[in-house]
Amino acid sequence: MRQSLKICIMIILASCALAVGAQEKLPLKLIATTPMPDFTGDFDHFGVDLKGSRLFLAAEDHKTVEVFDLRTGKRIHSIEGFGHPLTMAYLPESDHLIVTNGDTDDLALVDCKNYKIINTLKLGKGVDHSAYNPVNKYFYVENGGGPDAKTHALAIIDTRSFKIVGEVPGLSGDSNEGMVIDRAGKKLYVNLTGSD
């Protein structure tokens, strides 16, 4: 019994030593900040253009999508014309950005050469979260829910034609709080917060 107790104490002490050593090598390191003195309120999701070194940020309260240079961290443009920008996906093949627009319950298609909205696509109430599948080029968008709704749906948008090509109806609860698609593009995981 005493030998077992000694071994347990040694294992605990060794674990603590490993944990302390692991804390010295932090997994993330702050390398820069970008001050935004004129901005207040909430920011939502990001989109990224790796080839063009741009980061897109939904500035909800300002009703804009802000564009940053990834190399310098500087804000280089402010895209206007949104009701309530939320989530987005950058489409490298066309140099377009597709943005969910909460207050107007639509999607906005942005030409990233001149930073202008070139098209919109009306969806049902409750437009919010989205996920882009780079394998089949489909964009899945939460809609059809909203306050007090028992169910909601996902609209399936073909990003090449910017048209609705399907729907996943009857998801439980009034909304979801995020989605992710596996790397093979075959499975979509949806966090159904409305139904826990």
Side-chain angles (χ1 to χ4, degrees), residues 89 130-141 154-157 178-191:
S130 63
Y132 176 62
N133 186 341
V135 175
N136 63 11
K137 311 297 186 215
Y138 285 176
F139 193 57
Y140 298 84
V141 182
L154 298 180
I156 305 169
I157 314 304
M179 298 178 269
V180 67
I181 296 173
D182 72 344
R183 288 181 187 236
K186 296 187 178 191
K187 291 181 183 171
L188 171 67
Y189 298 91
V190 182
N191 178 6

Short mmCIF file of all heavy atoms in Angstrom, two decimals, residues 89 130-141 154-157 178-191:
data_model
loop_
_atom_site.label_atom_id
_atom_site.label_comp_id
_atom_site.label_asym_id
_atom_site.label_seq_id
_atom_site.Cartn_x
_atom_site.Cartn_y
_atom_site.Cartn_z
N ALA A 89 -17.15 33.92 -46.64
CA ALA A 89 -16.15 33.03 -47.23
C ALA A 89 -15.55 33.72 -48.44
O ALA A 89 -16.26 34.32 -49.25
CB ALA A 89 -16.78 31.70 -47.65
N SER A 130 -22.69 30.27 -41.39
CA SER A 130 -22.47 29.65 -42.69
C SER A 130 -21.23 28.79 -42.67
O SER A 130 -20.42 28.87 -41.75
CB SER A 130 -22.32 30.75 -43.76
OG SER A 130 -21.17 31.53 -43.48
N ALA A 131 -21.10 27.97 -43.71
CA ALA A 131 -19.89 27.16 -43.90
C ALA A 131 -19.69 26.99 -45.40
O ALA A 131 -20.64 26.76 -46.15
CB ALA A 131 -20.02 25.81 -43.23
N TYR A 132 -18.45 27.12 -45.83
CA TYR A 132 -18.09 26.97 -47.24
C TYR A 132 -17.40 25.64 -47.46
O TYR A 132 -16.48 25.29 -46.71
CB TYR A 132 -17.18 28.11 -47.68
CG TYR A 132 -16.69 27.99 -49.11
CD1 TYR A 132 -17.59 28.00 -50.17
CD2 TYR A 132 -15.34 27.86 -49.39
CE1 TYR A 132 -17.15 27.88 -51.48
CE2 TYR A 132 -14.89 27.74 -50.70
CZ TYR A 132 -15.80 27.76 -51.73
OH TYR A 132 -15.36 27.63 -53.02
N ASN A 133 -17.85 24.90 -48.47
CA ASN A 133 -17.23 23.63 -48.83
C ASN A 133 -16.38 23.85 -50.09
O ASN A 133 -16.92 23.97 -51.19
CB ASN A 133 -18.31 22.57 -49.10
CG ASN A 133 -17.73 21.20 -49.33
OD1 ASN A 133 -16.55 21.05 -49.64
ND2 ASN A 133 -18.56 20.18 -49.19
N PRO A 134 -15.06 23.91 -49.96
CA PRO A 134 -14.21 24.17 -51.13
C PRO A 134 -14.17 23.01 -52.11
O PRO A 134 -13.75 23.18 -53.24
CB PRO A 134 -12.83 24.43 -50.52
CG PRO A 134 -12.86 23.77 -49.19
CD PRO A 134 -14.28 23.80 -48.73
N VAL A 135 -14.64 21.83 -51.69
CA VAL A 135 -14.63 20.66 -52.59
C VAL A 135 -15.71 20.80 -53.66
O VAL A 135 -15.44 20.68 -54.85
CB VAL A 135 -14.80 19.35 -51.79
CG1 VAL A 135 -14.91 18.15 -52.72
CG2 VAL A 135 -13.63 19.17 -50.81
N ASN A 136 -16.96 21.06 -53.24
CA ASN A 136 -18.04 21.18 -54.23
C ASN A 136 -18.46 22.63 -54.50
O ASN A 136 -19.36 22.89 -55.28
CB ASN A 136 -19.25 20.35 -53.81
CG ASN A 136 -19.88 20.81 -52.51
OD1 ASN A 136 -19.56 21.88 -51.98
ND2 ASN A 136 -20.79 20.01 -51.97
N LYS A 137 -17.80 23.58 -53.83
CA LYS A 137 -18.04 25.03 -54.00
C LYS A 137 -19.43 25.45 -53.52
O LYS A 137 -19.99 26.42 -53.99
CB LYS A 137 -17.87 25.48 -55.46
CG LYS A 137 -16.60 25.01 -56.13
CD LYS A 137 -15.38 25.55 -55.48
CE LYS A 137 -14.14 25.16 -56.27
NZ LYS A 137 -12.99 24.91 -55.49
N TYR A 138 -19.99 24.71 -52.55
CA TYR A 138 -21.28 25.07 -51.99
C TYR A 138 -21.08 25.85 -50.69
O TYR A 138 -20.16 25.61 -49.93
CB TYR A 138 -22.12 23.82 -51.69
CG TYR A 138 -22.72 23.15 -52.91
CD1 TYR A 138 -23.42 21.96 -52.77
CD2 TYR A 138 -22.60 23.68 -54.18
CE1 TYR A 138 -23.98 21.32 -53.87
CE2 TYR A 138 -23.15 23.05 -55.28
CZ TYR A 138 -23.84 21.87 -55.13
OH TYR A 138 -24.40 21.24 -56.20
N PHE A 139 -22.01 26.78 -50.47
CA PHE A 139 -22.02 27.62 -49.28
C PHE A 139 -23.32 27.31 -48.54
O PHE A 139 -24.41 27.47 -49.09
CB PHE A 139 -21.97 29.09 -49.71
CG PHE A 139 -21.69 30.08 -48.62
CD1 PHE A 139 -20.55 29.99 -47.84
CD2 PHE A 139 -22.55 31.15 -48.40
CE1 PHE A 139 -20.27 30.94 -46.86
CE2 PHE A 139 -22.29 32.10 -47.43
CZ PHE A 139 -21.14 31.99 -46.66
N TYR A 140 -23.22 26.84 -47.30
CA TYR A 140 -24.38 26.46 -46.51
C TYR A 140 -24.70 27.60 -45.54
O TYR A 140 -23.83 28.04 -44.79
CB TYR A 140 -24.07 25.18 -45.72
CG TYR A 140 -23.77 24.01 -46.63
CD1 TYR A 140 -22.50 23.82 -47.16
CD2 TYR A 140 -24.78 23.12 -46.99
CE1 TYR A 140 -22.22 22.77 -48.00
CE2 TYR A 140 -24.51 22.05 -47.83
CZ TYR A 140 -23.23 21.88 -48.34
OH TYR A 140 -22.97 20.84 -49.19
N VAL A 141 -25.97 28.07 -45.57
CA VAL A 141 -26.33 29.26 -44.80
C VAL A 141 -27.56 28.99 -43.94
O VAL A 141 -28.61 28.57 -44.45
CB VAL A 141 -26.64 30.46 -45.73
CG1 VAL A 141 -26.97 31.70 -44.92
CG2 VAL A 141 -25.47 30.73 -46.66
N LEU A 154 -31.00 25.08 -43.61
CA LEU A 154 -29.77 25.52 -44.26
C LEU A 154 -30.06 25.65 -45.75
O LEU A 154 -30.49 24.69 -46.38
CB LEU A 154 -28.64 24.50 -44.06
CG LEU A 154 -28.17 24.22 -42.65
CD1 LEU A 154 -27.05 23.19 -42.67
CD2 LEU A 154 -27.71 25.49 -41.97
N ALA A 155 -29.82 26.83 -46.29
CA ALA A 155 -29.90 27.00 -47.74
C ALA A 155 -28.54 26.57 -48.31
O ALA A 155 -27.50 26.83 -47.71
CB ALA A 155 -30.18 28.45 -48.09
N ILE A 156 -28.58 25.90 -49.45
CA ILE A 156 -27.35 25.47 -50.12
C ILE A 156 -27.18 26.32 -51.37
O ILE A 156 -28.02 26.30 -52.27
CB ILE A 156 -27.41 23.98 -50.49
CG1 ILE A 156 -27.72 23.14 -49.24
CG2 ILE A 156 -26.10 23.54 -51.14
CD1 ILE A 156 -28.05 21.68 -49.55
N ILE A 157 -26.10 27.08 -51.41
CA ILE A 157 -25.83 28.02 -52.50
C ILE A 157 -24.66 27.50 -53.32
O ILE A 157 -23.59 27.20 -52.77
CB ILE A 157 -25.45 29.41 -51.95
CG1 ILE A 157 -26.38 29.87 -50.83
CG2 ILE A 157 -25.33 30.43 -53.08
CD1 ILE A 157 -27.82 29.92 -51.15
N GLY A 178 -22.93 27.72 -35.39
CA GLY A 178 -21.70 27.45 -36.11
C GLY A 178 -21.73 26.11 -36.81
O GLY A 178 -22.48 25.20 -36.43
N MET A 179 -20.93 26.02 -37.86
CA MET A 179 -20.84 24.81 -38.67
C MET A 179 -19.40 24.62 -39.11
O MET A 179 -18.65 25.58 -39.22
CB MET A 179 -21.72 24.93 -39.92
CG MET A 179 -23.18 25.10 -39.64
SD MET A 179 -24.13 25.30 -41.15
CE MET A 179 -24.13 27.07 -41.33
N VAL A 180 -19.07 23.38 -39.42
CA VAL A 180 -17.75 23.08 -39.98
C VAL A 180 -17.90 21.88 -40.92
O VAL A 180 -18.72 21.00 -40.69
CB VAL A 180 -16.71 22.82 -38.87
CG1 VAL A 180 -17.01 21.55 -38.11
CG2 VAL A 180 -15.30 22.82 -39.42
N ILE A 181 -17.10 21.89 -41.98
CA ILE A 181 -17.12 20.81 -42.96
C ILE A 181 -15.78 20.10 -42.89
O ILE A 181 -14.73 20.74 -42.77
CB ILE A 181 -17.36 21.37 -44.38
CG1 ILE A 181 -18.76 22.00 -44.44
CG2 ILE A 181 -17.19 20.29 -45.44
CD1 ILE A 181 -19.07 22.72 -45.72
N ASP A 182 -15.82 18.75 -42.97
CA ASP A 182 -14.56 18.00 -42.92
C ASP A 182 -13.73 18.26 -44.18
O ASP A 182 -14.23 18.77 -45.17
CB ASP A 182 -14.82 16.50 -42.71
CG ASP A 182 -15.38 15.82 -43.93
OD1 ASP A 182 -15.87 16.49 -44.86
OD2 ASP A 182 -15.35 14.57 -43.97
N ARG A 183 -12.45 17.94 -44.10
CA ARG A 183 -11.53 18.25 -45.21
C ARG A 183 -11.89 17.56 -46.52
O ARG A 183 -11.62 18.07 -47.59
CB ARG A 183 -10.10 17.88 -44.82
CG ARG A 183 -9.52 18.80 -43.81
CD ARG A 183 -8.12 18.40 -43.46
NE ARG A 183 -7.65 19.21 -42.36
CZ ARG A 183 -6.56 19.93 -42.40
NH1 ARG A 183 -5.82 19.94 -43.46
NH2 ARG A 183 -6.21 20.65 -41.36
N ALA A 184 -12.51 16.39 -46.43
CA ALA A 184 -12.91 15.68 -47.64
C ALA A 184 -14.16 16.29 -48.27
O ALA A 184 -14.51 15.96 -49.40
CB ALA A 184 -13.16 14.20 -47.31
N GLY A 185 -14.82 17.19 -47.56
CA GLY A 185 -16.02 17.83 -48.10
C GLY A 185 -17.23 16.94 -48.09
O GLY A 185 -18.18 17.17 -48.82
N LYS A 186 -17.24 15.91 -47.24
CA LYS A 186 -18.35 14.95 -47.25
C LYS A 186 -19.27 15.05 -46.05
O LYS A 186 -20.38 14.55 -46.09
CB LYS A 186 -17.79 13.53 -47.34
CG LYS A 186 -17.07 13.31 -48.65
CD LYS A 186 -16.66 11.88 -48.84
CE LYS A 186 -15.99 11.79 -50.21
NZ LYS A 186 -15.77 10.46 -50.63
N LYS A 187 -18.81 15.67 -44.96
CA LYS A 187 -19.63 15.77 -43.76
C LYS A 187 -19.70 17.21 -43.29
O LYS A 187 -18.69 17.91 -43.24
CB LYS A 187 -19.07 14.90 -42.64
CG LYS A 187 -19.19 13.43 -42.91
CD LYS A 187 -18.65 12.61 -41.75
CE LYS A 187 -18.72 11.13 -42.09
NZ LYS A 187 -18.02 10.31 -41.10
N LEU A 188 -20.90 17.62 -42.91
CA LEU A 188 -21.15 18.95 -42.36
C LEU A 188 -21.62 18.76 -40.92
O LEU A 188 -22.57 18.03 -40.66
CB LEU A 188 -22.23 19.66 -43.17
CG LEU A 188 -22.77 20.98 -42.62
CD1 LEU A 188 -21.70 22.06 -42.64
CD2 LEU A 188 -23.97 21.44 -43.44
N TYR A 189 -20.93 19.39 -39.99
CA TYR A 189 -21.30 19.33 -38.57
C TYR A 189 -21.94 20.65 -38.18
O TYR A 189 -21.39 21.72 -38.46
CB TYR A 189 -20.05 19.08 -37.71
CG TYR A 189 -19.39 17.76 -38.02
CD1 TYR A 189 -18.39 17.68 -38.98
CD2 TYR A 189 -19.77 16.60 -37.35
CE1 TYR A 189 -17.78 16.47 -39.28
CE2 TYR A 189 -19.17 15.38 -37.64
CZ TYR A 189 -18.17 15.33 -38.59
OH TYR A 189 -17.58 14.13 -38.89
N VAL A 190 -23.12 20.56 -37.56
CA VAL A 190 -23.89 21.76 -37.19
C VAL A 190 -24.13 21.75 -35.69
O VAL A 190 -24.62 20.77 -35.14
CB VAL A 190 -25.24 21.79 -37.94
CG1 VAL A 190 -26.02 23.04 -37.59
CG2 VAL A 190 -25.04 21.69 -39.44
N ASN A 191 -23.78 22.84 -35.03
CA ASN A 191 -24.01 23.00 -33.59
C ASN A 191 -25.40 23.58 -33.39
O ASN A 191 -25.62 24.77 -33.58
CB ASN A 191 -22.93 23.94 -33.03
CG ASN A 191 -23.09 24.21 -31.56
OD1 ASN A 191 -23.94 23.63 -30.90
ND2 ASN A 191 -22.27 25.10 -31.04
#
